[in-house]
Amino acid sequence: MKSSIHFFGEGKTKIQDNCLENIGYRGRQAVALDKMKLPILPGFIIDSEVSSTFDSKKLEPVLKSNLGKLEKKLNKELGSKENPLLLKVVVSPNLQFSNYPPIHNIGLVEPSLEGFIKHVGDNFALHEVHFLLRGVLDIEAKIAELESNEDRLKSISDVLKIIEKQIITEENSDGKMPPAATQKKTISNALELFPDEFSKDAFFQLNYILERIKCLIQLEEKAEGAIGDSETALLIQPMVYGNYGKNSGSGLFFTRNIVTGEKVLQGTFFKETFNELGSEGMDVNKVSKKHIQTLKEIRDKIEKEFKEIRSIRFTIEDDNLWLIDQRPVHGKSTRADIRVLLDLLADKVIDDKYAINSIKPSQLNELLHPMVDTTSVKGFKSITGGISGAPGSAIGKVYFTTEGITEAYKEAVKTGGDKNLILCMAATYADDVKAVEMSNGVLSCEGGYSAHASVVARQYGKVSLVKPDMKITGKKATIGNVTIKEGDYITLDVPYYGDPTVYLGTADLIEPDPKESGLLDLVALVKKYVTDDFFVRVNADNAKSADLALKFGAEGIGLCRTEHMFFQEERINLFRHMILAEDKKERVKVLNKLKTIQKKDFYEIFKVMSGKEVTIRLLDAPLHEFMPHTKEQLDSFKEYLTSAGINLTKSQLDERTQRLEEVNPMLGHRGSRIAVSYPEIYEMQISAIFEAAHKAKKEGVEVLPEIMVPLIMNSNEIKLLVFGKKIEGLTYKGLLEVSDEVQTKAGDDPIPFKVGTMIELPAAAVGAGEISKYAQFFSFGTNDLTQTTLGLSRDDFNAFMPDYTQFDLIEGNPFQKLDSNVKELIKIAVRRGSLTRPDLKTGLCGEHGANPDNIKFCMDAGLNYVSCSVYSVPIANLAIAQMNLSE
Ligand code: PEP
Ligand code: MG
């Protein structure tokens, strides 16, 4: 029997592995901390074999000898009138969760109460008796209930109610103890429920409590029909008090700053105080030199052991510091997590694999976007729910039109006013991109994750929230019973996990800083485990995003959407003019102007991306996105036309616009189909690419363009676009001929380039074997491929997705998580394409690219890369590294 009681607290507890099962979760915790040689309170564990057959008579000698050891260590004595040893009993089942709260202050009997009062005063001592009684009466109440002893249960409940009212708890931390006489009365009423010796003999009291706990455990086992199955051990430890005279106190702290991860203790010390309830406290770093040193040693050992920030509670009693407990911390930031991991890595406590696997890819969103400081929004009116288009947090004044936000922005610049703006529109179009760029975030109600507003917001690092239940009328939005008017300040909080929220008012935001936050260091580490076999590219259409993506670990550009280059204010009217031109002559004139602009953009991108592949997608503009939608846009376009010497009446302009109108523009005249009708458009773009490439090359830049044609349906289309065609007097000038012409003009060696295609239609996936005869690479445009495979409009699906989810008809949003049939098509295309062209390169550039599940599929399916928006690049890299490390 002796071997079944385990003493701990001397830094050398030895428990055989096969006994660890018998000491319960809390017992194992105590032993582990003891092994770390931390200043934990000593104690002993009565293991589950003994506790279930607990016989106080037989156990008395062992109990007494262990208590003797505790008395010696604490220099106190059980039941003493001078310096009494008080104890706590912790029930320690094998599971982390325990139904039994610990019982404190055991040993408080008449003589020892006198001794205790000398150290802590009358009031506190009586309070602690209440605490002891509450603990034991809780057990008694459960026993009475299981024994169906109604009368006893009632008496216990009556006393418990009074005790509950009198003690100070977290909920009742401002509460004051009633006068001593009242307290004594409550205590004496309670004691009537116990045998006489309970309040007189400390050892009897301990034994009695142990017996009652055993009784309860057995009754519960009986009730559950599990007699003899007890896995519950009992842990006995001394109590210490932070109000035990002058050199005493209590404290709690995090091992580091839980927001920044800075290695400074973050917490509070309560001098000469039992605990934090109702006390002010001081910075924990201000405790005496001797103790701060010990706390730092505790911090180092705990972080080394648990490899994360932990929260620690300690007590100093009479100048002796004791570690009371340590726990995981909820609500610490990812930045802090990363800092700890990088420090532990530098100290060789953990290896790369441990550090990389400890951060969830999606957690990085926290470092890439501002986050709401949740303490700053208490009391704000708020509306929760909606579809997360782009995560992060944004504050600003609401405007309902692009013109409105532009005016507000200009005014703010002119007057030094507030440039924090939020765009609120049903949906956005090409014209509104500049408004998205000017805003901190977009609140919309049409579409979802792959809607224009969300895609553009992600691209520009803005926040996007889609609230399908929002109604916009003029300059007013209504969501439920909340109304937002133009000029109101709101906060969009779109977390990666959990529900998004709109707060009415301005929250405090915590701004991201990739360097400070440790993100760049993490990226550097992660990149060691991302190989040439499978890597990440970025969807970027300007040099600034490309540059940032490189810092985030992108290996080239996987999708440069050239139509996005026309979104800027001074370019959009030129573009409109081009698509609304009356004839080829007029179109070519405008195209020449656009060419100068595009050439400059390509040149800048090539320079940033020197030595890395840049996949440029030729124009894929669903034309309706570019049409003027509002009166202001129409006026601006007319003004432009007039300045270009083109005077059109309203009806002439209407007529041109109507000519382009389509019933179903997403399946209409878009992508490479435009180039079949208007070859001069791609010709301009191809010339611009090669002119820019030769210019950059001559300056020593290593240029690696990959030209990509969108929305290919069959091999004939790509063959025409690449090789050109002569038929019945008609000539189509293909890409190769244009590139040759530019090269001859540049008087330069050829640029090493590739030509490939997007696979966005089921027909293209199935016909991949033929198509790859003319395409050196495939990039799966899974936004359109999902849309066309499932026949679901990417812009309208969210309106009825909830019904589908309700009836379990789909597994998640197919515009975020690849649908199984889309995956099947990708596999078919890779297989058929590679059979024709064994060195076919394949990637995925839809909005699915940063999701770890999709990435895993792409790796397994043999793709070479995923391409995603700039702020998703670190997330995708981390997911890949984790998968590589798990192999
Ligand atoms: C796609 O369809 O997945 C794609 C990347 O192209 P876009 O989103 O521009 O249509
Ligand atoms: Mg597409």
Side-chain angles (χ1 to χ4, degrees):
M1 182 165 289
K2 207 171 184 183
S3 64
S4 300
I5 300 220
H6 312 276
F7 193 86
F8 62 86
E10 293 173 321
K12 53 186 182 203
T13 321
K14 280 201 191 79
I15 294 189
Q16 284 170 352
D17 283 354
N18 59 355
C19 291
L20 284 172
E21 275 290 296
N22 294 345
I23 60 171
Y25 181 80
R26 298 292 298 268
R28 287 191 291 276
Q29 259 192 334
V31 170
L33 291 178
D34 190 32
K35 280 195 179 146
M36 289 160 64
K37 301 202 183 326
L38 289 165
I40 57 162
L41 280 162
F44 55 95
I45 306 159
I46 305 176
D47 85 8
S48 54
E49 273 176 31
V50 180
S51 68
S52 57
T53 53
F54 185 75
D55 179 336
S56 55
K57 270 275 149 301
K58 273 196 199 159
L59 212 58
E60 191 171 322
V62 212
L63 264 184
K64 283 206 164 143
S65 98
N66 278 287
L67 287 170
K69 276 197 202 175
L70 290 184
E71 289 178 331
K72 213 159 146 203
K73 281 204 146 287
L74 273 283
N75 199 19
K76 292 180 177 183
E77 197 188 325
L78 193 68
S80 153
K81 268 187 183 182
E82 294 305 323
N83 200 8
L85 174 72
L86 302 182
L87 301 163
K88 71 174 168 193
V89 172
V90 180
V91 179
S92 174
N94 256 335
L95 299 176
Q96 187 172 352
F97 179 74
S98 167
N99 279 328
Y100 314 92
I103 300 180
H104 296 102
N105 305 322
I106 300 169
L108 264 182
V109 288
E110 279 164 22
S112 58
L113 179 63
E114 214 179 288
F116 192 47
I117 287 172
K118 282 184 201 152
H119 294 274
V120 298
D122 224 9
N123 213 346
F124 180 79
L126 290 172
H127 179 259
E128 292 308 283
V129 180
H130 278 66
F131 232 86
L132 163 70
L133 291 170
R134 182 178 72 164
V136 192
L137 285 170
D138 274 339
I139 303 265
E140 292 291 347
K142 283 183 188 148
I143 292 175
E145 201 181 328
L146 286 165
E147 287 178 339
S148 307
N149 189 343
E150 301 297 328
D151 292 346
R152 183 163 164 86
L153 181 60
K154 180 163 184 332
S155 317
I156 294 169
S157 306
D158 290 347
V159 180
L160 261 177
K161 256 185 232 149
I162 303 172
I163 292 181
E164 285 293 353
K165 253 194 229 151
Q166 291 183 186
I167 57 175
I168 299 171
T169 59
E170 237 161 271
E171 298 78 48
N172 181 25
S173 61
D174 296 334
K176 291 219 166 27
M177 292 293 292
T182 318
Q183 291 192 60
K184 282 183 183 156
K185 187 152 187 303
T186 312
I187 291 170
S188 88
N189 285 344
L191 286 173
E192 277 175 23
L193 294 160
F194 297 95
D196 271 2
E197 297 98 308
F198 184 88
S199 58
K200 297 202 167 50
D201 179 340
F203 188 69
F204 176 91
Q205 192 180 76
L206 172 65
N207 258 326
Y208 177 84
I209 291 172
L210 294 174
E211 286 278 7
R212 298 306 275 165
I213 294 173
K214 182 191 84 176
C215 172
L216 175 60
I217 293 172
Q218 285 180 347
L219 282 171
E220 286 188 336
E221 280 173 10
K222 199 170 150 201
E224 285 163 15
I227 280 275
D229 279 3
S230 177
E231 289 190 332
T232 308
L234 298 170
L235 192 138
I236 297 169
Q237 266 181 308
M239 297 284 301
V240 283
Y241 300 88
N243 51 349
Y244 218 69
K246 241 171 165 290
N247 293 320
S248 303
S250 55
L252 66 167
F253 65 93
F254 301 121
T255 49
R256 301 180 179 228
N257 185 304
I258 60 163
V259 176
T260 63
E262 195 191 345
K263 202 172 173 181
V264 271
L265 308 186
Q266 187 188 18
T268 318
F269 180 65
F270 306 90
K271 203 168 164 13
E272 289 170 43
T273 310
F274 178 62
N275 63 20
E276 71 278 16
L277 298 183
S279 323
E280 270 287 301
M282 64 187 203
D283 183 351
V284 72
N285 293 289
K286 296 210 170 107
V287 298
S288 71
K289 247 196 183 150
K290 167 182 156 193
H291 293 312
I292 196 80
Q293 196 47 40
T294 313
L295 293 181
K296 284 183 182 165
E297 279 165 27
I298 294 176
R299 184 260 319 273
D300 291 344
K301 283 184 179 170
I302 295 264
E303 280 194 352
K304 210 168 153 186
E305 178 70 17
F306 296 99
K307 302 171 182 70
E308 62 174 11
I309 300 180
R310 289 260 159 162
S311 116
I312 289 176
R313 194 175 274 278
F314 66 97
T315 294
I316 301 174
E317 184 187 82
D318 213 8
D319 216 22
N320 291 315
L321 191 151
W322 301 103
L323 167 64
I324 302 298
D325 63 21
Q326 62 78 33
R327 291 158 197 249
V329 179
H330 300 291
K332 56 189 167 35
S333 74
T334 299
R335 173 177 171 177
D337 282 342
I338 291 178
R339 194 69 277 148
V340 179
L341 291 167
L342 292 175
D343 285 356
L344 292 173
L345 188 63
D347 293 343
K348 300 198 168 37
V349 176
I350 55 170
D351 58 11
D352 290 357
K353 183 173 178 177
Y354 189 95
I356 289 171
N357 283 337
S358 300
I359 301 287
K360 280 199 208 90
S362 55
Q363 265 185 280
L364 296 187
N365 277 293
E366 223 180 287
L367 306 185
L368 293 159
H369 307 286
M371 300 304 286
V372 166
D373 178 349
T374 42
T375 58
S376 70
V377 288
K378 287 204 176 101
F380 278 31
K381 206 169 186 185
S382 64
I383 320 128
T384 300
I387 301 154
S388 161
S393 302
I395 54 171
K397 259 194 283 188
V398 175
Y399 285 90
F400 290 91
T401 58
T402 288
E403 291 68 33
I405 213 165
T406 311
E407 275 311 303
Y409 188 85
K410 280 186 189 154
E411 187 63 20
V413 171
K414 213 160 62 193
T415 61
D418 188 0
K419 280 190 281 183
N420 290 308
L421 307 167
I422 302 275
L423 179 66
C424 181
M425 291 179 83
T428 61
Y429 297 92
D431 273 310
D432 308 310
V433 172
K434 58 180 183 290
V436 177
E437 204 180 346
M438 270 181 256
S439 72
N440 292 343
V442 189
L443 178 61
S444 59
C445 52
E446 289 174 13
Y449 188 75
S450 57
H452 184 267
S454 306
V455 173
V456 176
R458 282 198 294 282
Q459 218 150 32
Y460 284 94
K462 309 290 177 176
V463 178
S464 154
L465 172 59
V466 185
K467 283 204 70 75
D469 53 339
M470 178 170 72
K471 305 256 167 319
I472 301 179
T473 31
K475 293 184 175 176
K476 207 169 80 178
T478 329
I479 317 166
N481 56 4
V482 172
T483 305
I484 303 168
K485 297 189 294 306
E486 184 169 279
D488 283 353
Y489 272 98
I490 63 167
T491 302
L492 302 181
D493 183 17
V494 188
Y496 206 81
Y497 290 115
D499 286 332
T501 306
V502 182
Y503 293 100
L504 303 196
T506 317
D508 291 344
L509 299 188
I510 304 163
E511 288 296 329
D513 179 336
K515 195 163 184 301
E516 268 291 296
S517 65
L519 178 66
L520 296 188
D521 293 333
L522 182 73
V523 166
L525 174 68
V526 160
K527 283 286 302 227
K528 283 169 46 184
Y529 300 92
V530 179
T531 63
D532 290 351
D533 291 346
F534 195 88
F535 46 88
V536 183
R537 289 188 178 180
V538 64
N539 294 353
D541 40 66
N542 59 63
K544 198 169 146 215
S545 305
D547 193 34
L548 185 59
L550 285 181
K551 293 195 175 80
F552 288 162
E555 290 295 334
I557 292 183
L559 174 63
C560 171
R561 290 176 162 108
T562 51
E563 65 281 1
H564 283 198
M565 294 172 154
F566 302 114
F567 282 159
Q568 288 165 27
E569 197 175 4
E570 65 281 9
R571 300 179 179 188
I572 194 153
N573 282 329
L574 266 178
F575 190 81
R576 279 187 182 129
H577 186 187
M578 188 273 288
I579 57 180
L580 291 169
E582 186 59 14
D583 51 29
K584 184 167 177 178
K585 196 166 152 236
E586 189 178 330
R587 190 171 310 107
V588 168
K589 222 168 123 193
V590 192
L591 278 169
N592 282 335
K593 289 187 191 159
L594 288 172
K595 183 176 165 185
T596 315
I597 295 170
Q598 285 224 305
K599 183 177 159 185
K600 185 165 172 291
D601 287 351
F602 292 141
Y603 166 75
E604 281 167 6
I605 290 174
F606 287 142
K607 273 211 316 200
V608 170
M609 280 285 161
S610 181
K612 299 211 182 307
E613 278 105 349
V614 176
T615 310
I616 299 171
R617 181 178 75 183
L618 300 175
L619 194 75
D620 178 14
L623 296 183
H624 69 291
E625 275 187 16
F626 285 87
M627 292 301 168
H629 287 279
T630 62
K631 185 179 170 309
E632 285 86 352
Q633 289 164 7
L634 204 62
D635 289 346
S636 147
F637 183 48
K638 275 212 220 120
E639 221 172 85
Y640 156 83
L641 285 177
T642 315
S643 70
I646 298 171
N647 290 307
L648 294 182
T649 61
K650 185 175 174 316
S651 64
Q652 281 171 321
L653 185 57
D654 283 351
E655 197 254 321
R656 283 197 194 187
T657 316
Q658 273 155 20
R659 255 188 270 158
L660 289 176
E661 258 169 29
E662 292 180 295
V663 175
N664 194 347
M666 268 298 188
L667 296 180
H669 206 184
R670 61 173 282 217
S672 49
R673 296 163 194 177
I674 292 271
V676 173
S677 308
Y678 310 112
E680 57 276 15
I681 297 179
Y682 277 13
E683 192 178 328
M684 174 284 275
Q685 289 199 297
I686 296 159
S687 304
I689 293 168
F690 282 102
E691 284 178 21
H694 282 291
K695 181 170 180 303
K697 181 169 166 262
K698 282 179 183 163
E699 292 170 17
V701 176
E702 191 186 350
V703 193
L704 299 169
E706 294 189 336
I707 301 171
M708 179 156 78
V709 281
L711 216 76
I712 283 296
M713 168 173 74
N714 63 34
S715 59
N716 292 336
E717 289 171 313
I718 184 158
K719 188 175 173 195
L720 170 85
L721 298 172
V722 178
F723 293 97
K725 195 165 188 170
K726 282 195 169 60
I727 187 167
E728 293 176 10
L730 285 174
T731 304
Y732 193 100
K733 198 197 274 182
L735 184 154
L736 297 179
E737 192 180 339
V738 180
S739 75
D740 280 351
E741 279 176 12
V742 177
Q743 186 207 334
T744 310
K745 223 160 134 197
D748 195 3
D749 293 338
I751 300 277
F753 72 93
K754 286 197 171 75
V755 181
T757 179
M758 307 250 328
I759 301 286
E760 306 181 90
L761 302 174
V766 175
E770 268 301 300
I771 291 175
S772 60
K773 284 184 184 163
Y774 312 101
Q776 293 163 290
F777 65 89
F778 286 169
S779 182
F780 293 95
T782 46
N783 302 332
D784 277 312
L785 189 58
T786 302
Q787 172 165 258
T788 51
T789 303
L790 306 183
L792 281 177
S793 156
R794 60 199 259 190
D795 292 323
D796 301 316
F797 176 54
N798 281 290
F800 57 94
M801 188 176 113
D803 307 333
Y804 268 66
T805 318
Q806 213 171 309
F807 289 105
D808 254 355
L809 304 183
I810 44 165
E811 239 186 81
N813 183 344
F815 291 99
Q816 287 176 13
K817 189 170 179 292
L818 285 169
D819 171 81
S820 58
N821 289 312
V822 174
K823 286 184 187 169
E824 201 53 42
L825 282 171
I826 293 175
K827 284 199 257 179
I828 290 172
V830 172
R831 207 167 46 236
R832 295 187 183 175
S834 308
L835 267 180
T836 308
R837 187 185 287 274
D839 63 346
L840 180 79
K841 207 156 79 178
T842 51
L844 181 151
C845 66
E847 298 304 314
H848 300 83
N851 174 319
D853 288 341
N854 300 333
I855 290 176
K856 167 126 189 35
F857 162 76
C858 292
M859 292 171 87
D860 293 345
L863 269 60
N864 302 102
Y865 64 90
V866 282
S867 189
C868 53
S869 61
V870 57
Y871 291 94
S872 300
V873 170
I875 297 171
N877 267 317
L878 178 56
I880 295 170
Q882 288 181 348
M883 282 177 231
N884 284 338
L885 281 167
S886 75
E887 272 165 14

